[in-house]
Amino acid sequence: MNRALFMALAALAPGGAAAAPAPLAWKEVQGVRIPVPPPEHPRLYLRAPHVSDLAARLKHPVLQPVAERLERQAKQDPQYRVEWDAVQYLVGRDEALGRATIAAALDLLRKARLPDHHDACRVTGRMMVTGAIVYDWLHPLLTPAQKDGFVTELVRLAKTQECGYPPTGQGSVTGHASEAMILRDMLSAGIAIHDEFPEMYELAAGRFFRDHLPARNWFYPGHAHHQGDSYGPHRYHWELFPLWIFDRMGAGNVYNPEQRHVPYLWLYTRRPDGQRLRAGDTFADNARRDSPWPLYLAALLTASYYGDGYLLHEHLRQPNVGDSDRIFELLWRDPDLQPKPPDDLPLVRFCGPPFGWMVARTGWGEDAVIAEMKVNVYNFTNHQHLDAGAFQIYHRGPLAIDSGLYQGSSGGYGSPHNVNYSWRTIAHNCLLVRDPGETFGRNAANDGGQRFPNGRREPATLKVLLDPKNGYQTGEILACGTGPDPKATAPDYAYLTGDLTRAYSQKVRQVVRSFVFLNLKDPRTPAALAVFDRVAAADPAFRKTWLLHAMEEPRVEGNAATVDRTEQGGRGRLVLTALLPEAGHADLAKIGGRGREFEVDGTNYPSEPAARDGGARCHEPGAWRLELSPRKAAEEDCFLVVMQVMDREAGRALPVRLISEGDHAGCRVGDREVLFSRTTGRVTRIQGRTVR
């Protein structure tokens, strides 16, 4: 049921007489305003008009399979049985069923214990949701003793959460306290028991409105998420619960509505094989090569709330809704929304501050080229890597990649491989400036890369994130755009320039990187990416290195290299031409192979995938990298590298040459020309058109 219909039904008093809906009251708690749960039940996840629609939802052709799955779950698991019976009570008002459901739920709560495994509080937190559903939906049947019992057990379970109870621990920008424990579990339980025990709601809602909400309303206009290809959808999925919880309670949309655009990041970075371009910590053990990567409820709930068919289509590519989330699909999915494929979407997507990311594609089919370019205006730490200035390229297989493993034989989060390699700049297609005397926190190796923002401590609040002394700001967007017609769905080019100086320590005076993606619209050479860098070091002796990572061993010939993708059905080819430093003044070398896959400062930090299933998992750690460095030490250097992308069998490489015009340098790729400023690092002209 949409919100307009809900309000229309809510305006009808008993007997059909029209009455204005009572506005939701708000109150101040510890310096922050929060909405007050209305004095009625149910008010958690749905209200009376939604209940009247529930019987029809159970039989709707789109939702009926969901209901049938819930019913099957109920026969196998007592926790899901309680929730399913609560749904049946709302539909049929069978008081005998209701009383039995209350008794069963209270028994489950009393028996619930923190299991002995990683992230155990997710189990006890989900049990809080079960208790909250029964308490709220069956509230008229509860005895005073049962109310006391529920409150006692919900508080006990709240104290098992990592954030503690009261929920004051951990951060509100990243980390586990930005997942279910506050945004769903305590908030849900608090709303259910508010009349009898307002403390839990006031604590959970107070922290959400004080800390979680400002951070998200600040970064949502960037239309992206900072936690990567795996944790990004996971964390955003939890952020949607307050959206629906407060809206269904009657408070409306508490978020900045720019939230609706966040999942487009994962739509644009989705590869033809269903995987996504790598970003941050990738838990590939949870995904297979032969199946598109899921988005949990991230796309579905956003699509349903904002009426977005593109996001519904993205969800339906792999509608992997977990058992514990299926009840929310039943309650909140818009079953009448129609999916819409992305075919008419613009092929370039820009994610503004605090991100500064661009994704450019040549299409949506199997032969699409996808290029990602990053500035990183801010680095949020946690599952985000030190990859300001990174790029990736995909065409018929991953060609220029983010390398390394998140979880493997080296260990999980914070393993030696993470700390010394996969989190670090050297594992990405970035720039290194090596000060031999530089030290990094966590006793990390000197990779020559970017610094750990605030010692890689997670920002607890938006205020901490924005405080300049903490160093979370790592870049600035200088220019971005598409052309020659900026309104074209398939532009000929896209460009992005960023100042990356803040990402590095005082070993640099300035680092500026410019990207130009050329959609060549030629089946034999569909696209090219030109990358121009101006790097000024604090000491001429600090060696500068330009990086490109690959899955397979590159072939190097002078100032050129070829990267092929031949494994797992890949047919892509990347042809690299290094124009600056000019031939004879630079070294282009390859590093990798057994024993050197993840080498940093002469030491390899190995890690092998934990999953052993014939290569079906999605691990792409890479094993090779190209390093381009000037032969002569200098305070300032410019790099200009052109990468053409094509089919390994049917493609052709276009001629590439250097253009030098005074204090400008550029490249000609076939009949396309791009010019950059040697003094500012910015792109200045593309295809004869001035760029500002």
Side-chain angles (χ1 to χ4, degrees):
M1 181 186 298
N2 63 36
R3 292 181 298 284
L5 179 57
F6 168 71
M7 294 305 293
L9 289 172
L12 295 178
L24 203 65
W26 290 65
K27 68 178 179 180
E28 185 171 308
V29 175
Q30 295 183 347
V32 64
R33 293 183 72 246
I34 64 173
V36 180
E40 63 186 63
H41 295 275
R43 61 193 179 203
L44 176 65
Y45 308 149
L46 77 175
R47 288 174 72 180
H50 305 112
V51 173
S52 66
D53 187 49
L54 191 54
R57 291 180 70 84
L58 291 170
K59 297 178 181 179
H60 193 289
V62 170
L63 295 176
Q64 189 173 2
V66 180
E68 291 171 352
R69 175 63 180 169
L70 285 168
E71 189 171 18
R72 290 195 298 272
Q73 288 176 215
K75 295 176 181 178
Q76 300 168 359
D77 187 296
Q79 183 176 1
Y80 296 136
R81 174 62 181 270
V82 162
E83 295 178 3
W84 179 246
D85 286 346
V87 171
Q88 298 308 304
Y89 171 78
L90 287 180
V91 173
R93 300 295 174 174
D94 182 335
E95 292 192 6
L97 173 65
R99 292 190 178 93
T101 302
I102 290 171
L106 191 51
D107 184 58
L108 284 174
L109 290 176
R110 286 170 172 157
K111 291 178 179 177
R113 294 293 182 271
L114 196 68
D116 185 17
H117 60 66
H118 185 61
D119 293 333
C121 72
R122 294 176 182 175
V123 176
T124 49
R126 184 59 180 82
M127 186 61 73
M128 292 177 67
V129 171
T130 300
I133 286 173
V134 172
Y135 192 99
D136 180 64
W137 294 3
L138 285 71
H139 189 268
L141 305 181
L142 290 167
T143 67
Q146 287 172 332
K147 290 178 182 179
D148 290 343
F150 270 89
V151 170
T152 297
E153 295 306 320
L154 289 171
V155 171
R156 179 180 66 83
L157 293 176
K159 291 179 179 179
T160 69
Q161 302 303 293
E162 291 179 17
C163 62
Y165 184 84
T168 57
Q170 302 183 325
S172 300
V173 181
T174 68
H176 287 186
S178 291
E179 295 182 357
M181 61 182 76
I182 296 172
L183 304 187
R184 183 195 64 186
D185 305 342
M186 289 191 202
L187 200 56
S188 297
I191 290 171
I193 63 177
H194 176 264
D195 298 346
E196 295 79 18
F197 187 81
E199 177 186 278
M200 186 178 295
Y201 173 72
E202 292 177 358
L203 290 170
R207 179 162 178 188
F208 171 76
F209 280 95
R210 182 175 54 254
D211 296 332
H212 291 89
L213 185 64
R216 281 144 191 84
N217 282 349
W218 177 74
F219 73 73
Y220 280 159
H223 297 177
H225 204 286
H226 44 84
Q227 291 297 283
D229 61 60
S230 300
Y231 283 94
H234 182 66
R235 296 265 165 87
Y236 176 78
H237 154 103
W238 298 120
E239 293 163 15
L240 291 169
F241 277 85
L243 171 73
W244 282 91
I245 287 171
F246 286 115
D247 185 87
R248 284 295 179 96
M249 197 175 80
N253 186 354
V254 298
Y255 282 115
N256 185 328
E258 295 296 304
Q259 177 192 49
R260 67 182 301 170
H261 301 291
V262 171
Y264 277 87
L265 170 67
W266 304 306
L267 186 157
Y268 271 82
T269 55
R270 187 240 305 146
R271 308 180 335 190
D273 62 2
Q275 300 179 47
R276 290 187 282 274
L277 295 183
R278 301 303 191 258
D281 290 338
T282 301
F283 43 78
D285 275 342
N286 295 341
R288 297 181 60 87
R289 294 188 181 280
D290 55 3
S291 180
W293 284 12
L295 286 169
Y296 313 99
L297 292 178
L300 178 63
L301 292 188
T302 308
S304 293
Y305 191 90
Y306 293 104
D308 193 318
Y310 294 116
L311 295 182
L312 178 60
H313 180 274
E314 189 65 12
H315 166 77
L316 292 175
R317 286 176 54 84
Q318 176 63 310
N320 186 14
V321 177
D323 287 348
S324 66
D325 291 327
R326 193 162 284 108
I327 192 169
F328 301 107
E329 180 178 9
L330 175 69
L331 296 174
W332 294 339
R333 178 173 177 174
D334 180 352
D336 298 319
L337 182 65
Q338 296 300 307
K340 190 173 183 180
D343 302 348
D344 60 347
L345 286 174
L347 292 176
V348 177
R349 187 85 177 179
F350 175 65
C351 302
F355 304 106
W357 302 340
M358 179 177 280
V359 181
R361 306 178 64 108
T362 59
W364 300 98
E366 293 295 318
D367 60 347
V369 178
I370 313 171
E372 179 189 55
M373 300 151 270
K374 286 185 172 182
V375 171
N376 287 3
V377 179
Y378 276 80
N379 189 299
F380 292 72
T381 69
N382 195 204
H383 295 294
Q384 185 177 1
H385 292 176
L386 302 175
D387 60 353
F391 63 87
Q392 291 185 74
I393 302 174
Y394 180 97
H395 177 59
R396 299 190 179 277
L399 297 172
I401 69 166
D402 273 5
S403 67
L405 283 172
Y406 169 45
Q407 297 167 320
S409 59
S410 177
Y413 189 88
S415 71
H417 177 80
N418 289 165
V419 171
N420 295 289
Y421 186 79
S422 67
W423 287 348
R424 308 291 295 284
T425 311
I426 197 170
H428 304 81
N429 302 319
C430 292
L431 291 162
L432 305 179
V433 179
R434 191 171 191 281
D435 170 6
E438 185 175 16
T439 58
F440 294 83
R442 297 172 176 257
N443 296 316
N446 183 354
D447 71 328
Q450 296 160 16
R451 59 182 177 80
F452 289 121
N454 200 21
R456 210 175 183 278
R457 290 183 289 273
E458 298 175 17
T461 64
L462 179 61
K463 181 180 179 180
V464 172
L465 179 72
L466 297 180
D467 191 334
K469 75 173 184 292
N470 294 325
Y472 291 106
Q473 185 171 358
T474 54
E476 179 185 359
I477 303 163
L478 300 179
C480 66
T482 61
D485 178 3
K487 297 182 180 180
T489 300
D492 290 351
Y493 59 81
Y495 61 91
L496 173 65
T497 299
D499 188 322
L500 314 179
T501 308
R502 296 185 187 185
Y504 296 83
S505 67
Q506 294 182 348
K507 66 186 175 184
V508 304
R509 290 194 296 106
Q510 188 178 48
V511 179
V512 176
R513 168 162 277 192
S514 288
F515 306 95
V516 177
F517 178 82
L518 299 173
N519 186 344
L520 300 173
K521 301 177 181 178
D522 180 342
R524 297 182 65 186
T525 320
L529 179 66
V531 181
F532 182 86
D533 300 293
R534 181 181 181 274
V535 187
D539 187 325
F542 294 167
R543 183 176 177 83
K544 310 175 190 73
T545 304
W546 188 101
L547 298 174
L548 183 140
H549 289 266
M551 293 286 291
E552 301 178 43
E553 183 177 3
R555 300 189 301 278
V556 178
E557 298 179 12
N559 70 330
T562 301
V563 175
D564 283 342
R565 185 60 177 151
T566 65
E567 300 171 349
Q568 294 157 347
R571 285 174 39 191
R573 170 169 290 175
L574 182 151
V575 176
L576 178 150
T577 306
L579 298 176
L580 291 177
E582 296 185 53
H585 297 277
D587 292 314
L588 180 62
K590 60 183 176 183
I591 294 175
R594 185 165 296 277
R596 302 191 70 189
E597 303 96 325
F598 312 117
E599 186 175 285
V600 182
D601 197 20
T603 300
N604 196 46
Y605 294 92
S607 189
E608 295 286 339
R612 299 290 187 182
D613 55 3
R617 300 294 175 183
C618 299
H619 300 288
E620 291 178 353
W624 294 89
R625 69 177 182 257
L626 293 169
E627 293 190 349
L628 174 68
S629 292
R631 289 182 178 173
K632 185 179 179 181
E635 186 176 316
E636 297 183 11
D637 283 287
C638 290
F639 295 90
L640 175 55
V641 179
V642 175
M643 291 159 283
Q644 300 180 67
V645 184
M646 64 206 70
D647 185 282
R648 179 167 47 85
E649 298 174 357
R652 63 168 182 179
L654 298 172
V656 176
R657 68 176 181 86
L658 176 68
I659 300 172
S660 184
E661 297 182 5
D663 64 350
H664 286 73
C667 58
R668 184 175 180 87
V669 184
D671 62 355
R672 307 284 187 96
E673 288 191 355
V674 181
L675 205 63
F676 304 89
S677 168
R678 292 178 183 265
T679 57
T680 67
R682 295 179 182 236
V683 56
T684 58
R685 195 171 72 213
I686 307 175
Q687 293 178 224
R689 295 176 177 267
T690 301
V691 174
R692 301 187 184 278

